[in-house]
Amino acid sequence: MKKIEAIIKPFKLDEVKEALQEVGLQGITVTEAKGFGRQKGQAEVLYKRNEFTVNLLRKVQLMIAVNESFVEPTINAII
């Protein structure tokens, strides 16, 4: 068994799910995440006794457990 983790943009989730189903994948775990990369994020001001700025974008994290034979097709479907 291998665990594959991927972080994608939220609007790509349906497309990736369909591609994974086409290769025969039966289940995935999806969680909401925040982060930034080349996009540099966007400013948000949060209050909790102190004021600070967080430069994070909404993301979706996929976690998938697959057998060895499904590793390559799963990665290709996500890409």
Side-chain angles (χ1 to χ4, degrees):
M1 284 296 253
K2 297 287 184 181
K3 179 181 175 185
I4 299 171
E5 292 188 28
I7 298 175
I8 62 173
K9 296 177 184 178
F11 68 87
K12 289 285 193 179
L13 181 58
D14 288 335
E15 185 180 334
V16 171
K17 279 188 344 187
E18 288 174 17
L20 290 170
Q21 288 172 343
E22 286 176 15
V23 297
L25 201 72
Q26 295 181 352
I28 61 173
T29 300
V30 179
T31 55
E32 291 184 17
K34 289 189 176 189
F36 73 93
R38 287 178 276 167
Q39 300 156 320
K40 302 297 183 212
Q42 59 191 22
E44 295 179 19
V45 178
L46 304 174
Y47 296 94
K48 189 171 182 180
R49 295 190 182 160
N50 294 321
E51 187 176 323
F52 57 96
T53 302
V54 179
N55 295 322
L56 303 174
L57 294 172
R58 287 185 57 231
K59 304 286 183 179
V60 174
Q61 181 177 9
L62 308 176
M63 289 176 276
I64 307 163
V66 296
N67 291 328
E68 292 282 336
S69 61
F70 274 100
V71 171
E72 196 81 30
T74 300
I75 293 171
N76 291 334
I78 293 169
I79 292 172

